[in-house]
Amino acid sequence: AALALDNGLARTPPMGWLHWERFLCRTDCDTDPHRCVSERLFMEMADVMAAEGWRDAGYKYVCIDDCWMAPRRDEHGRLQADPKRFPSGIRKLADYVHSKGMKLGIYSDVGNKTCAGFPGSYNYYDLDAQTFASWGVDLLKFDGCNSGTLELLAEGYRRMSLALNKTGRSIVYSCEWPFYLRPVQQPNYTEIKQYCNHWRNFFDVYDSWRSIKSILDWTALHQDSIVKIAGPGGWNDPDMAMLPGIFVFLSQLVIGNFGLSWDQSVTQMAMWAIMAAPLFMSNDLRHISPEAKWLLQNKEVIAINQDPLGKQGYQITKDKNFELWERPLSGRAYAVAVLNHQEIGGPQNFTFSLTFLGNGLACNPACSVRQVLPASRDWGFYTWVSSLSVEVNPTGTVLLKV
Protein backbone atom coordinates (compact mmCIF):
# COMPACT_ATOMS: atom_id res chain seq x y z
CA ALA A 1 0.00 0.00 0.00
CA ALA A 2 2.91 2.34 0.68
CA LEU A 3 3.84 2.08 -3.00
CA ALA A 4 0.32 2.72 -4.27
CA LEU A 5 -0.99 5.88 -5.85
CA ASP A 6 -0.90 8.78 -3.39
CA ASN A 7 -1.15 11.92 -5.47
CA GLY A 8 -3.96 13.62 -3.52
CA LEU A 9 -5.78 14.42 -6.76
CA ALA A 10 -9.31 13.96 -8.12
CA ARG A 11 -11.01 14.61 -4.81
CA THR A 12 -14.09 15.22 -6.96
CA PRO A 13 -14.68 13.82 -10.47
CA PRO A 14 -12.39 15.63 -12.94
CA MET A 15 -14.01 17.92 -15.53
CA GLY A 16 -12.74 19.09 -18.88
CA TRP A 17 -12.78 18.78 -22.65
CA LEU A 18 -11.43 15.94 -24.81
CA HIS A 19 -10.97 15.79 -28.55
CA TRP A 20 -11.83 12.18 -29.37
CA GLU A 21 -15.53 11.63 -30.07
CA ARG A 22 -15.91 14.84 -32.05
CA PHE A 23 -12.55 15.05 -33.83
CA LEU A 24 -11.36 11.41 -33.87
CA CYS A 25 -7.92 10.79 -35.41
CA ARG A 26 -7.93 13.56 -38.01
CA THR A 27 -4.31 14.18 -38.95
CA ASP A 28 -4.66 15.95 -42.33
CA CYS A 29 -4.27 19.60 -41.40
CA ASP A 30 -3.79 20.68 -45.01
CA THR A 31 -7.36 19.93 -46.04
CA ASP A 32 -9.04 20.25 -42.62
CA PRO A 33 -7.06 22.77 -40.53
CA HIS A 34 -9.92 23.61 -38.13
CA ARG A 35 -10.67 20.01 -37.18
CA CYS A 36 -7.39 18.11 -37.25
CA VAL A 37 -5.61 17.00 -34.08
CA SER A 38 -3.13 19.84 -33.73
CA GLU A 39 -1.90 22.45 -31.29
CA ARG A 40 -4.17 24.95 -33.01
CA LEU A 41 -7.27 22.92 -32.06
CA PHE A 42 -6.29 22.74 -28.38
CA MET A 43 -5.24 26.37 -28.17
CA GLU A 44 -8.50 27.52 -29.73
CA MET A 45 -10.49 25.29 -27.39
CA ALA A 46 -8.56 26.65 -24.40
CA ASP A 47 -9.33 30.19 -25.55
CA VAL A 48 -13.06 29.44 -25.73
CA MET A 49 -13.09 27.62 -22.40
CA ALA A 50 -11.47 30.59 -20.66
CA ALA A 51 -13.57 33.26 -22.38
CA GLU A 52 -17.02 31.67 -22.37
CA GLY A 53 -17.44 30.39 -18.85
CA TRP A 54 -16.38 26.76 -19.24
CA ARG A 55 -13.32 27.06 -17.01
CA ASP A 56 -15.27 28.95 -14.38
CA ALA A 57 -17.99 26.28 -14.45
CA GLY A 58 -15.36 23.69 -13.46
CA TYR A 59 -14.09 22.32 -16.80
CA LYS A 60 -10.39 22.62 -16.01
CA TYR A 61 -8.71 20.00 -18.23
CA VAL A 62 -7.97 20.36 -21.94
CA CYS A 63 -7.20 16.79 -22.97
CA ILE A 64 -5.34 15.37 -25.95
CA ASP A 65 -6.28 11.80 -26.88
CA ASP A 66 -4.63 9.42 -29.37
CA CYS A 67 -2.90 10.54 -32.59
CA TRP A 68 -0.82 13.42 -31.21
CA MET A 69 2.52 11.62 -31.53
CA ALA A 70 5.15 11.39 -34.20
CA PRO A 71 5.40 7.87 -35.69
CA ARG A 72 8.70 7.22 -33.89
CA ARG A 73 10.45 8.18 -30.67
CA ASP A 74 13.39 10.58 -30.86
CA GLU A 75 17.07 9.59 -30.78
CA HIS A 76 16.99 9.49 -26.96
CA GLY A 77 13.98 7.19 -26.89
CA ARG A 78 11.54 9.91 -25.84
CA LEU A 79 8.05 10.36 -27.18
CA GLN A 80 7.68 13.37 -29.43
CA ALA A 81 4.74 15.26 -30.84
CA ASP A 82 4.08 15.24 -34.56
CA PRO A 83 6.30 18.15 -35.71
CA LYS A 84 3.91 19.38 -38.39
CA ARG A 85 0.76 19.40 -36.28
CA PHE A 86 2.44 20.44 -32.99
CA PRO A 87 5.34 22.60 -34.21
CA SER A 88 5.76 24.37 -30.85
CA GLY A 89 5.87 21.11 -28.89
CA ILE A 90 3.78 19.91 -25.95
CA ARG A 91 5.69 22.00 -23.38
CA LYS A 92 4.63 25.23 -25.12
CA LEU A 93 1.07 23.97 -25.46
CA ALA A 94 0.97 23.15 -21.75
CA ASP A 95 2.31 26.61 -20.94
CA TYR A 96 -0.41 28.14 -23.09
CA VAL A 97 -3.18 26.12 -21.45
CA HIS A 98 -1.79 26.96 -18.00
CA SER A 99 -1.75 30.66 -18.90
CA LYS A 100 -5.51 30.38 -19.40
CA GLY A 101 -5.94 29.00 -15.89
CA MET A 102 -6.47 25.39 -16.98
CA LYS A 103 -4.61 22.07 -17.10
CA LEU A 104 -3.38 19.87 -19.95
CA GLY A 105 -4.14 16.18 -20.34
CA ILE A 106 -2.30 13.78 -22.66
CA TYR A 107 -2.63 10.21 -23.88
CA SER A 108 -0.42 7.13 -24.01
CA ASP A 109 -0.80 3.35 -23.91
CA VAL A 110 0.35 0.56 -21.63
CA GLY A 111 1.32 -1.58 -24.66
CA ASN A 112 3.96 -1.21 -27.34
CA LYS A 113 1.57 0.74 -29.59
CA THR A 114 -1.41 2.97 -28.99
CA CYS A 115 -4.82 1.96 -30.30
CA ALA A 116 -4.17 4.04 -33.42
CA GLY A 117 -0.71 2.55 -33.96
CA PHE A 118 1.56 5.26 -32.51
CA PRO A 119 4.40 4.45 -30.08
CA GLY A 120 3.20 3.00 -26.76
CA SER A 121 4.85 3.16 -23.34
CA TYR A 122 5.75 -0.51 -22.87
CA ASN A 123 9.29 -0.68 -21.41
CA TYR A 124 9.37 3.15 -21.33
CA TYR A 125 7.16 3.82 -18.31
CA ASP A 126 9.69 5.80 -16.27
CA LEU A 127 11.02 7.74 -19.25
CA ASP A 128 7.54 8.62 -20.48
CA ALA A 129 6.39 9.71 -17.02
CA GLN A 130 9.46 11.94 -16.73
CA THR A 131 8.81 13.32 -20.21
CA PHE A 132 5.18 14.16 -19.42
CA ALA A 133 6.20 15.81 -16.16
CA SER A 134 8.90 17.86 -17.89
CA TRP A 135 6.30 19.08 -20.36
CA GLY A 136 3.98 20.24 -17.58
CA VAL A 137 1.26 17.66 -18.23
CA ASP A 138 -1.48 17.46 -15.56
CA LEU A 139 -3.42 14.30 -16.57
CA LEU A 140 -2.47 11.08 -18.30
CA LYS A 141 -5.07 8.96 -20.04
CA PHE A 142 -3.41 5.52 -20.20
CA ASP A 143 -4.99 3.16 -22.68
CA GLY A 144 -4.71 -0.64 -22.82
CA CYS A 145 -4.28 -1.66 -26.46
CA ASN A 146 -1.51 -4.01 -27.63
CA SER A 147 -0.53 -4.98 -24.09
CA GLY A 148 -0.04 -8.72 -24.59
CA THR A 149 -1.03 -10.74 -21.54
CA LEU A 150 -3.22 -9.63 -18.64
CA GLU A 151 -0.15 -9.92 -16.40
CA LEU A 152 1.75 -7.42 -18.55
CA LEU A 153 -1.32 -5.18 -18.63
CA ALA A 154 -1.57 -5.09 -14.84
CA GLU A 155 2.19 -4.66 -14.42
CA GLY A 156 2.16 -1.75 -16.87
CA TYR A 157 -0.64 0.08 -15.09
CA ARG A 158 1.08 -0.35 -11.73
CA ARG A 159 4.47 0.71 -13.06
CA MET A 160 3.16 3.85 -14.73
CA SER A 161 1.35 4.85 -11.54
CA LEU A 162 4.56 4.56 -9.55
CA ALA A 163 6.55 6.29 -12.30
CA LEU A 164 4.17 9.26 -12.28
CA ASN A 165 4.46 9.54 -8.50
CA LYS A 166 8.25 9.48 -8.72
CA THR A 167 8.28 12.55 -10.98
CA GLY A 168 7.05 14.72 -8.11
CA ARG A 169 4.48 16.37 -10.37
CA SER A 170 0.76 16.13 -9.64
CA ILE A 171 -0.64 14.16 -12.60
CA VAL A 172 -4.14 12.69 -12.58
CA TYR A 173 -3.94 9.05 -13.68
CA SER A 174 -6.78 7.74 -15.85
CA CYS A 175 -6.80 3.99 -16.52
CA GLU A 176 -8.55 1.48 -18.78
CA TRP A 177 -7.46 -1.43 -16.62
CA PRO A 178 -10.85 -2.94 -15.62
CA PHE A 179 -12.27 -2.93 -19.13
CA TYR A 180 -9.52 -5.17 -20.47
CA LEU A 181 -9.88 -7.54 -17.52
CA ARG A 182 -13.65 -7.98 -17.69
CA PRO A 183 -13.79 -10.41 -20.63
CA VAL A 184 -11.61 -12.82 -18.61
CA GLN A 185 -11.93 -12.02 -14.92
CA GLN A 186 -13.68 -9.76 -12.43
CA PRO A 187 -11.56 -6.63 -11.86
CA ASN A 188 -10.13 -6.07 -8.40
CA TYR A 189 -11.40 -2.53 -7.92
CA THR A 190 -9.71 -2.19 -4.53
CA GLU A 191 -6.34 -2.69 -6.20
CA ILE A 192 -7.23 -0.53 -9.19
CA LYS A 193 -8.19 2.37 -6.93
CA GLN A 194 -4.80 2.07 -5.23
CA TYR A 195 -3.13 2.97 -8.52
CA CYS A 196 -5.62 4.98 -10.61
CA ASN A 197 -7.65 8.17 -10.11
CA HIS A 198 -10.40 7.02 -12.45
CA TRP A 199 -10.98 4.01 -14.62
CA ARG A 200 -13.19 2.82 -17.50
CA ASN A 201 -15.69 0.01 -17.28
CA PHE A 202 -17.77 -0.13 -20.45
CA PHE A 203 -18.09 0.66 -24.15
CA ASP A 204 -16.99 4.02 -25.52
CA VAL A 205 -19.86 6.48 -25.67
CA TYR A 206 -21.18 7.32 -29.14
CA ASP A 207 -23.28 10.26 -30.22
CA SER A 208 -26.52 8.27 -29.96
CA TRP A 209 -29.32 7.43 -27.55
CA ARG A 210 -28.62 3.73 -28.00
CA SER A 211 -25.11 4.27 -26.64
CA ILE A 212 -26.27 6.32 -23.64
CA LYS A 213 -28.97 3.77 -22.84
CA SER A 214 -26.56 0.81 -23.00
CA ILE A 215 -24.15 2.55 -20.62
CA LEU A 216 -26.94 3.18 -18.09
CA ASP A 217 -28.17 -0.41 -18.39
CA TRP A 218 -24.67 -1.80 -17.83
CA THR A 219 -24.05 0.48 -14.86
CA ALA A 220 -27.31 -0.55 -13.17
CA LEU A 221 -26.57 -4.23 -13.79
CA HIS A 222 -23.09 -4.01 -12.21
CA GLN A 223 -23.74 -1.38 -9.55
CA ASP A 224 -23.22 -3.80 -6.67
CA SER A 225 -19.56 -4.18 -7.62
CA ILE A 226 -18.69 -0.67 -8.82
CA VAL A 227 -20.65 1.84 -6.72
CA LYS A 228 -19.02 1.04 -3.39
CA ILE A 229 -15.46 1.63 -4.61
CA ALA A 230 -16.04 5.13 -6.02
CA GLY A 231 -15.14 8.12 -3.89
CA PRO A 232 -12.67 10.97 -3.44
CA GLY A 233 -9.47 10.13 -5.30
CA GLY A 234 -10.94 7.35 -7.46
CA TRP A 235 -13.97 7.33 -9.77
CA ASN A 236 -15.83 5.04 -12.16
CA ASP A 237 -16.10 6.25 -15.73
CA PRO A 238 -19.45 4.95 -16.96
CA ASP A 239 -18.34 4.41 -20.55
CA MET A 240 -15.49 2.47 -22.00
CA ALA A 241 -14.19 1.03 -25.22
CA MET A 242 -15.10 -1.65 -27.69
CA LEU A 243 -12.85 -4.72 -27.68
CA PRO A 244 -9.14 -5.22 -27.06
CA GLY A 245 -7.28 -3.89 -30.07
CA ILE A 246 -10.05 -1.43 -30.94
CA PHE A 247 -10.15 2.18 -29.80
CA VAL A 248 -10.71 2.95 -26.13
CA PHE A 249 -11.27 6.51 -24.98
CA LEU A 250 -12.14 8.72 -22.07
CA SER A 251 -15.65 9.13 -20.74
CA GLN A 252 -17.27 11.82 -22.85
CA LEU A 253 -20.30 14.07 -22.74
CA VAL A 254 -21.59 14.23 -26.30
CA ILE A 255 -24.07 17.02 -25.58
CA GLY A 256 -23.86 19.73 -28.22
CA ASN A 257 -23.15 17.35 -31.11
CA PHE A 258 -25.66 15.75 -33.48
CA GLY A 259 -27.06 12.46 -32.20
CA LEU A 260 -29.07 13.29 -29.07
CA SER A 261 -32.42 15.02 -28.74
CA TRP A 262 -32.84 17.67 -26.05
CA ASP A 263 -34.42 15.19 -23.64
CA GLN A 264 -31.63 12.67 -24.25
CA SER A 265 -29.04 15.37 -23.63
CA VAL A 266 -30.76 16.14 -20.32
CA THR A 267 -30.64 12.45 -19.49
CA GLN A 268 -26.90 12.20 -20.11
CA MET A 269 -26.12 15.28 -18.01
CA ALA A 270 -28.43 14.22 -15.18
CA MET A 271 -27.26 10.62 -15.05
CA TRP A 272 -23.55 11.46 -15.30
CA ALA A 273 -24.12 13.69 -12.27
CA ILE A 274 -25.94 10.90 -10.42
CA MET A 275 -23.13 8.45 -11.24
CA ALA A 276 -20.38 10.82 -10.01
CA ALA A 277 -18.75 10.42 -13.42
CA PRO A 278 -15.84 12.49 -14.68
CA LEU A 279 -17.34 15.18 -16.92
CA PHE A 280 -15.30 15.40 -20.10
CA MET A 281 -17.05 17.05 -23.02
CA SER A 282 -16.25 16.00 -26.57
CA ASN A 283 -17.81 18.61 -28.81
CA ASP A 284 -16.85 21.76 -30.67
CA LEU A 285 -17.10 24.55 -28.14
CA ARG A 286 -16.41 27.07 -30.90
CA HIS A 287 -19.81 26.20 -32.37
CA ILE A 288 -22.30 25.13 -29.72
CA SER A 289 -25.94 26.04 -29.19
CA PRO A 290 -27.02 28.25 -26.29
CA GLU A 291 -29.22 25.40 -25.03
CA ALA A 292 -26.33 22.91 -24.93
CA LYS A 293 -24.11 25.49 -23.26
CA TRP A 294 -26.78 26.15 -20.61
CA LEU A 295 -27.08 22.45 -19.87
CA LEU A 296 -23.36 21.73 -19.72
CA GLN A 297 -22.68 24.77 -17.54
CA ASN A 298 -25.69 24.25 -15.24
CA LYS A 299 -24.36 25.08 -11.80
CA GLU A 300 -26.90 22.97 -9.89
CA VAL A 301 -26.15 19.83 -11.90
CA ILE A 302 -22.40 20.36 -11.65
CA ALA A 303 -22.74 20.85 -7.88
CA ILE A 304 -24.40 17.42 -7.66
CA ASN A 305 -21.65 15.84 -9.75
CA GLN A 306 -18.95 17.54 -7.67
CA ASP A 307 -20.57 16.93 -4.28
CA PRO A 308 -17.78 16.59 -1.68
CA LEU A 309 -19.32 13.56 0.02
CA GLY A 310 -18.15 11.66 -3.05
CA LYS A 311 -20.71 8.87 -3.13
CA GLN A 312 -21.80 7.40 -6.47
CA GLY A 313 -25.52 7.07 -7.15
CA TYR A 314 -27.40 3.87 -7.95
CA GLN A 315 -30.70 2.57 -9.24
CA ILE A 316 -33.19 1.83 -6.46
CA THR A 317 -36.16 0.59 -8.47
CA LYS A 318 -37.29 -0.15 -12.01
CA ASP A 319 -40.95 -0.20 -13.02
CA LYS A 320 -41.78 -0.92 -16.67
CA ASN A 321 -40.24 1.97 -18.63
CA PHE A 322 -39.21 3.97 -15.58
CA GLU A 323 -36.08 3.88 -13.44
CA LEU A 324 -35.61 5.63 -10.10
CA TRP A 325 -32.04 6.49 -9.10
CA GLU A 326 -30.65 8.26 -6.05
CA ARG A 327 -27.30 9.67 -4.96
CA PRO A 328 -26.49 10.57 -1.34
CA LEU A 329 -25.15 14.12 -1.07
CA SER A 330 -23.53 16.14 1.68
CA GLY A 331 -25.79 17.93 4.13
CA ARG A 332 -28.14 14.91 4.35
CA ALA A 333 -29.48 15.70 0.87
CA TYR A 334 -30.14 13.34 -2.03
CA ALA A 335 -30.11 13.74 -5.78
CA VAL A 336 -32.94 11.78 -7.37
CA ALA A 337 -33.37 10.96 -11.06
CA VAL A 338 -36.52 9.63 -12.72
CA LEU A 339 -35.65 8.22 -16.14
CA ASN A 340 -38.21 7.29 -18.79
CA HIS A 341 -36.88 4.71 -21.26
CA GLN A 342 -39.99 4.76 -23.45
CA GLU A 343 -39.23 5.84 -27.02
CA ILE A 344 -42.76 6.31 -28.32
CA GLY A 345 -45.74 8.44 -27.40
CA GLY A 346 -45.79 11.47 -25.13
CA PRO A 347 -44.89 12.34 -21.54
CA GLN A 348 -45.72 9.77 -18.87
CA ASN A 349 -46.23 10.10 -15.13
CA PHE A 350 -44.30 8.12 -12.56
CA THR A 351 -45.44 8.17 -8.93
CA PHE A 352 -43.30 6.99 -6.04
CA SER A 353 -43.31 7.28 -2.25
CA LEU A 354 -40.65 9.38 -0.58
CA THR A 355 -40.10 6.47 1.78
CA PHE A 356 -38.18 4.84 -1.11
CA LEU A 357 -35.39 7.36 -0.75
CA GLY A 358 -32.36 6.93 1.46
CA ASN A 359 -33.65 3.71 3.00
CA GLY A 360 -36.58 5.71 4.31
CA LEU A 361 -34.42 8.43 5.87
CA ALA A 362 -34.13 11.03 3.08
CA CYS A 363 -37.44 12.68 3.92
CA ASN A 364 -37.91 11.75 7.56
CA PRO A 365 -39.81 13.53 9.01
CA ALA A 366 -40.05 16.10 6.19
CA CYS A 367 -38.06 17.50 3.30
CA SER A 368 -37.97 20.13 0.58
CA VAL A 369 -37.92 19.09 -3.07
CA ARG A 370 -36.36 21.10 -5.87
CA GLN A 371 -36.40 20.19 -9.56
CA VAL A 372 -33.01 20.78 -11.19
CA LEU A 373 -33.61 19.43 -14.72
CA PRO A 374 -35.01 19.81 -17.31
CA ALA A 375 -35.77 23.21 -15.71
CA SER A 376 -35.21 24.44 -12.19
CA ARG A 377 -38.11 25.14 -9.85
CA ASP A 378 -39.06 24.54 -6.24
CA TRP A 379 -41.68 21.89 -5.54
CA GLY A 380 -42.14 22.80 -1.88
CA PHE A 381 -42.16 20.72 1.32
CA TYR A 382 -43.31 17.13 1.78
CA THR A 383 -43.67 14.72 4.66
CA TRP A 384 -42.12 11.30 5.01
CA VAL A 385 -45.30 9.53 3.85
CA SER A 386 -45.87 11.78 0.81
CA SER A 387 -45.75 10.59 -2.78
CA LEU A 388 -44.32 12.46 -5.75
CA SER A 389 -45.79 12.30 -9.23
CA VAL A 390 -43.23 13.17 -11.90
CA GLU A 391 -44.01 13.77 -15.58
CA VAL A 392 -41.13 12.67 -17.81
CA ASN A 393 -40.76 12.92 -21.58
CA PRO A 394 -39.78 9.84 -23.61
CA THR A 395 -36.01 9.15 -23.22
CA GLY A 396 -35.94 12.06 -20.78
CA THR A 397 -35.02 12.45 -17.13
CA VAL A 398 -36.28 14.63 -14.31
CA LEU A 399 -33.51 15.42 -11.83
CA LEU A 400 -34.53 16.41 -8.30
CA LYS A 401 -32.71 17.44 -5.14
CA VAL A 402 -34.34 16.32 -1.90
Side-chain angles (χ1 to χ4, degrees):
L3 296 176
L5 181 74
D6 186 23
N7 59 17
L9 301 175
R11 306 307 295 170
T12 60
M15 298 172 59
W17 179 90
L18 176 74
H19 88 251
W20 184 260
E21 199 283 333
R22 182 62 183 263
F23 296 96
L24 301 174
C25 192
R26 294 176 182 268
T27 57
D28 185 354
C29 293
D30 293 330
T31 60
D32 207 359
H34 295 283
R35 292 184 290 181
C36 72
V37 180
S38 66
E39 65 181 37
R40 173 179 176 175
L41 175 68
F42 298 102
M43 292 172 73
E44 289 183 356
M45 220 56 69
D47 290 342
V48 172
M49 291 173 72
E52 298 188 10
W54 300 101
R55 176 195 63 201
D56 297 337
Y59 295 98
K60 301 292 189 184
Y61 290 92
V62 180
C63 293
I64 308 168
D65 213 291
D66 206 345
C67 306
W68 63 270
M69 302 169 187
R72 288 173 294 279
R73 293 173 176 267
D74 69 12
E75 64 272 18
H76 304 290
R78 294 175 299 205
L79 291 173
Q80 53 185 341
D82 183 278
K84 184 175 182 180
R85 294 181 286 119
F86 293 85
S88 304
I90 301 299
R91 174 79 240 189
K92 288 291 182 66
L93 178 57
D95 289 344
Y96 187 84
V97 171
H98 293 158
S99 76
K100 299 292 180 176
M102 290 176 291
K103 300 176 183 291
L104 184 73
I106 207 164
Y107 168 101
S108 189
D109 192 285
V110 72
N112 55 17
K113 289 185 179 180
T114 72
C115 297
F118 291 88
S121 290
Y122 179 69
N123 276 338
Y124 289 93
Y125 301 120
D126 286 296
L127 179 59
D128 288 356
Q130 293 162 13
T131 299
F132 297 144
S134 72
W135 287 344
V137 165
D138 305 290
L139 179 150
L140 173 63
K141 150 69 192 303
F142 208 43
D143 217 332
C145 286
N146 304 302
S147 57
T149 67
L150 292 182
E151 289 75 16
L152 288 174
L153 178 87
E155 179 188 1
Y157 276 112
R158 296 186 195 105
R159 288 183 59 185
M160 181 55 86
S161 177
L162 301 178
L164 292 172
N165 275 0
K166 279 191 276 185
T167 68
R169 182 172 181 80
S170 296
I171 300 177
V172 171
Y173 186 38
S174 171
C175 303
E176 275 62 44
W177 193 351
F179 168 76
Y180 286 92
L181 292 178
R182 272 199 175 272
V184 180
Q185 64 189 58
Q186 173 70 20
N188 181 344
Y189 284 103
T190 301
E191 179 186 27
I192 290 168
K193 189 174 181 177
Q194 285 185 318
Y195 291 97
C196 305
N197 291 123
H198 50 103
W199 48 86
R200 313 304 186 279
N201 292 310
F202 189 58
F203 295 102
D204 187 26
V205 66
Y206 283 79
D207 190 12
S208 74
W209 170 242
R210 180 181 179 183
S211 174
I212 301 298
K213 182 179 182 299
S214 68
I215 289 165
L216 297 175
D217 290 344
W218 187 94
T219 302
L221 181 64
H222 294 88
Q223 64 183 20
D224 288 347
S225 65
I226 66 173
V227 166
K228 59 189 176 185
I229 197 64
W235 307 98
N236 288 298
D237 263 347
D239 47 19
M240 193 42 227
M242 298 299 290
L243 296 169
I246 303 179
F247 295 125
V248 257
F249 301 98
L250 194 65
S251 170
Q252 296 159 78
L253 291 166
V254 292
I255 298 163
N257 289 329
F258 312 100
L260 301 183
S261 70
W262 171 249
D263 287 294
Q264 293 159 2
S265 296
V266 168
T267 290
Q268 189 184 26
M269 192 67 183
M271 296 308 299
W272 264 232
I274 288 284
M275 295 186 292
L279 298 182
F280 284 89
M281 306 174 290
S282 189
N283 47 23
D284 192 342
L285 297 175
R286 300 167 298 187
H287 308 286
I288 192 168
S289 71
E291 294 79 13
K293 183 179 181 181
W294 173 86
L295 180 58
L296 287 162
Q297 291 190 6
N298 188 292
K299 292 180 180 180
E300 290 183 274
V301 185
I302 291 172
I304 291 171
N305 175 266
Q306 297 287 295
D307 186 80
L309 186 62
K311 288 188 176 293
Q312 181 171 330
Y314 41 84
Q315 184 190 106
I316 55 177
T317 189
K318 186 174 183 179
D319 183 8
K320 298 179 181 177
N321 290 314
F322 282 97
E323 295 180 12
L324 182 65
W325 294 61
E326 70 176 15
R327 179 183 175 187
L329 303 175
S330 55
R332 298 176 60 195
Y334 284 80
V336 178
V338 183
L339 168 61
N340 180 6
H341 275 291
Q342 185 163 300
E343 300 182 23
I344 192 171
Q348 299 286 326
N349 283 316
F350 179 72
T351 301
F352 64 96
S353 171
L354 289 171
T355 58
F356 275 154
L357 305 180
N359 291 319
L361 300 176
C363 197
N364 187 1
C367 60
S368 64
V369 178
R370 177 171 175 78
Q371 179 179 301
V372 177
L373 289 175
S376 61
R377 62 184 179 93
D378 288 322
W379 282 20
F381 286 87
Y382 295 82
T383 67
W384 180 66
V385 294
S386 299
S387 292
L388 287 184
S389 183
V390 183
E391 184 178 85
V392 193
N393 291 343
T395 68
T397 295
V398 171
L399 180 64
L400 307 171
K401 185 175 181 181
V402 176

